[in-house]
Amino acid sequence: MSQIDLFTPVRVGAFELPNRIAMAPMTRSRAGEGNAPTPLMAEYYAQRASAGLIISEATQVNDTAQGYPSTPGVHTNTQAAGWRRVTEAVHAKGGRIFVQLWHVGRISHPIFQPNGAPPVAPSAIAAAGELYTGEGMKPFPVPRALETAEIPGLVRDFAEAAKRAVYDAGFDGVEIHGANGYLIDQFLRDGTNKRTDAYGGSIENRARFLLEIVEATVAAIGADRVGVRLSPNGTFNDMRDSDPVALFTHVAKALSTFNLAYLHVIEGIDGPMTLPAGAPAVASQLRAAFKGTFIINGGYYTRAAADAVLAKGEADLVSIGIPFIANPDLPARLKLGAPLAEGDKASFYGGTEKGYTDYPALETVDA
Ligand code: PHB
């Protein structure tokens, strides 16, 4: 056991953080015209600037990357200008913010796609179930399998979005969203990747898309501004793999060679990412396989639980999602042992300032 706890400062990539609490990325579906961030989003993130690191909601890297209403992008100048207001507001409050870069792959619908085309994926396999489109629930469509020749363009889109995020929008760095059944995860796992080219088949081949994205993004903005998020045992979005321990251990080892800002692993229960009973605990094996800063996510919602995972050396930081919704000053509350407010679920996705920026911070006696 070490003396390290949630309030021990830590270096993450290029940054010194005052605490080890990362605000986990959370879709809130409040982007404006052209999927550009609004002034309300700047207020929301600035209210949460006492997190050691804010990781933004998942953000589209190009115009085929969207799968939910009103999620922001970072591939147009208007989107970058909107994000610039967000990052300036967070920095003015003394915080740091990375943008989470995603492409949803098959977790989309023609409604969200240019010219009403089918969404793209490694293989033409629909996810089971339905998605929320803004025009009601619809079955997931059968996606179009990407041509091998299209893959370099997608890799470039991640690197270009990272450049725009850091140099135009003012983000401190980017987190590549390799988790939760979206495009990169669809390439990683053999339940969704049946390709017969260099991007499918063996573990090495299925990891290639992620590793090419990481390499290009590191070349674009520097390794100390790049993190990666994985969900090795998640089943959200109809995901499965025949050997997640072998797959993700290979990925963690390969990621170690880049000297990244961090690896961020979802190991347990947080919002929609609830693990099935008996799911293998892969996170500890990834901690051992990855040489670098390790962020764990998994329902560590009390100070005692979060401190314990740090003291045992199972992670260097803890990311916390849902409690940040209703507790903008979550680090202060955890430090004081103050009670946490419950968020109103009806306003998690979409809407106005209600359930978004109207949760008060604690009134501090000596403030
Ligand atoms: C969601 O909007 O439900 C969502 C988005 C991104 C994730 C997970 C869930 O990684």
Side-chain angles (χ1 to χ4, degrees):
M1 300 287 277
S2 75
Q3 294 302 308
I4 291 169
D5 72 13
L6 269 185
F7 296 94
T8 311
V10 63
R11 189 175 184 86
V12 173
F15 306 95
E16 297 290 343
L17 278 46
N19 62 57
R20 292 171 182 244
I21 304 165
M23 177 175 159
M26 284 181 289
T27 293
R28 303 303 308 274
S29 287
R30 283 168 170 86
E33 187 73 25
N35 294 327
T38 64
L40 187 67
M41 288 169 63
E43 187 183 345
Y44 164 77
Y45 282 110
Q47 287 174 343
R48 288 155 182 79
S50 64
L53 177 66
I54 294 173
I55 304 158
S56 83
E57 65 208 275
T59 296
Q60 286 94 242
V61 297
N62 66 20
D63 65 0
T64 63
Q66 186 179 0
Y68 302 86
S70 303
T71 52
V74 67
H75 55 94
T76 71
N77 290 337
T78 316
Q79 291 162 356
W83 279 121
R84 159 87 39 201
R85 280 196 298 251
V86 174
T87 62
E88 284 176 354
V90 169
H91 292 150
K93 291 278 199 70
R96 293 140 300 276
I97 181 167
F98 277 34
V99 63
Q100 194 192 44
L101 296 180
W102 77 343
H103 189 300
V104 297
R106 69 177 185 161
I107 304 301
S108 186
H109 190 276
I111 286 174
F112 297 115
Q113 297 295 319
N115 308 314
V120 296
S123 300
I125 303 168
E130 297 187 315
L131 84 169
Y132 177 73
T133 63
E135 297 175 19
M137 300 300 292
K138 311 241 184 219
F140 282 111
V142 178
R144 177 176 70 79
L146 286 157
E147 304 288 342
T148 308
E150 292 178 281
I151 292 179
L154 278 162
V155 171
R156 212 174 308 122
D157 288 342
F158 273 87
E160 288 299 317
K163 262 195 235 169
R164 198 186 287 274
V166 169
Y167 298 119
D168 297 346
F171 279 104
D172 298 303
V174 310
E175 175 174 286
I176 294 166
H177 192 345
N180 297 338
Y182 299 107
L183 183 63
I184 292 172
D185 204 19
Q186 291 160 30
F187 270 89
L188 289 172
R189 297 204 240 180
D190 59 15
T192 39
N193 183 343
K194 307 289 182 193
R195 300 181 71 88
T196 54
D197 63 4
Y199 295 90
S202 66
I203 283 174
E204 287 73 16
N205 281 359
R206 283 181 276 128
R208 192 179 309 282
F209 182 56
L210 168 62
L211 297 175
E212 288 185 355
I213 288 170
V214 170
E215 185 175 14
T217 304
V218 163
I221 62 169
D224 56 0
R225 293 179 189 274
V226 178
V228 172
R229 195 177 208 215
L230 301 172
S231 54
N233 41 19
T235 56
F236 183 61
N237 283 325
D238 191 24
M239 293 304 288
R240 63 185 64 86
D241 187 79
S242 59
D243 192 352
V245 173
L247 168 61
F248 286 97
T249 302
H250 167 79
V251 170
K253 282 191 181 140
L255 290 175
S256 295
T257 63
F258 292 99
N259 206 14
L260 298 176
Y262 63 82
L263 177 61
H264 184 182
V265 173
I266 302 169
E267 70 155 7
I269 299 153
D270 197 1
M273 275 65 73
T274 304
L275 285 189
V282 188
S284 57
Q285 301 180 62
L286 300 197
R287 166 60 156 173
F290 180 71
K291 303 288 166 261
T293 301
F294 194 83
I295 308 181
I296 195 102
N297 176 280
Y300 297 103
Y301 292 173
T302 64
R303 171 123 197 230
D307 279 347
V309 81
L310 297 177
K312 283 188 273 180
E314 291 172 4
D316 302 299
L317 288 89
V318 174
S319 81
I320 304 180
I322 289 167
F324 258 111
I325 291 179
N327 301 276
D329 56 345
L330 183 65
R333 292 192 201 209
L334 291 174
K335 195 167 198 174
L336 291 169
L340 300 186
E342 274 291 317
D344 159 41
K345 288 207 167 60
S347 48
F348 277 13
Y349 298 105
T352 61
E353 71 283 356
K354 195 180 154 308
Y356 189 56
T357 51
D358 61 353
Y359 292 109
L362 283 180
E363 308 234 16
T364 48
V365 187
D366 55 354

